Amino acid sequence: MPNAPKKTMVCVTVQKTCERLIRAGASLAGGAGLSVVHVARSGEALLGGSSESEALEYLFRISREYGAEMDMLRSDDVIDTIVDFAQRNAIETLVIGAAGSRSSYDVAGTLRARLPGVQVVVVA
């Protein structure tokens, strides 16, 4: 069945400009379950510290507008936490933002290797 709805997970970072990721995830989900997830390292501010409550409120509001559930998780191993969440929630499509120009770590490649049955979509 082409264009069948898929359970989709959107990983957001500390940037408040993540609406484009959520919008892309909602489009890919096609009406199926949509989860927005932010993983903060233990001891760190949830959204980078500056205007944390404002940023948190923004993320929850944007998630609701797109019919998504929003989860804020804490972990010292962000990749393991994303993989675990995706597996426990039978995620079929995972949406992430493109890594910054200063990053040499291939997050998308790592997630593809750890979640072989999951489509990993990188949004520029």
Side-chain angles (χ1 to χ4, degrees):
M1 174 181 353
N3 299 325
K6 299 182 188 289
K7 288 187 78 173
T8 302
M9 173 180 170
V10 178
C11 295
V12 296
T13 62
V14 298
Q15 300 171 6
K16 284 180 54 179
T17 58
C18 59
E19 183 176 359
R20 64 188 167 78
L21 297 176
I22 297 170
R23 183 175 37 248
S27 176
L28 291 166
L34 179 62
S35 296
V36 174
V37 177
H38 173 68
V39 182
R41 294 191 189 285
S42 299
E44 286 184 359
L46 279 176
L47 291 163
S50 63
S51 305
E52 185 170 313
S53 62
E54 180 185 317
L56 184 60
E57 183 178 321
Y58 170 80
L59 280 176
F60 275 101
R61 181 177 55 78
I62 294 300
S63 296
R64 265 193 322 270
E65 285 178 15
Y66 287 94
E69 293 182 22
M70 175 74 204
D71 289 284
M72 303 295 283
L73 307 172
R74 286 213 181 264
S75 174
D76 288 325
D77 192 326
V78 174
I79 296 294
D80 277 352
T81 302
I82 291 169
V83 168
D84 180 62
F85 186 96
Q87 290 172 334
R88 282 186 295 110
N89 291 281
I91 298 299
E92 299 169 86
T93 303
L94 178 62
V95 178
I96 63 172
S101 59
R102 290 183 256 172
S103 176
S104 62
Y105 181 66
D106 183 9
V107 174
T110 300
L111 290 170
R112 285 183 181 110
R114 299 273 309 270
L115 296 165
V118 175
Q119 176 187 14
V120 177
V121 177
V122 179
V123 176

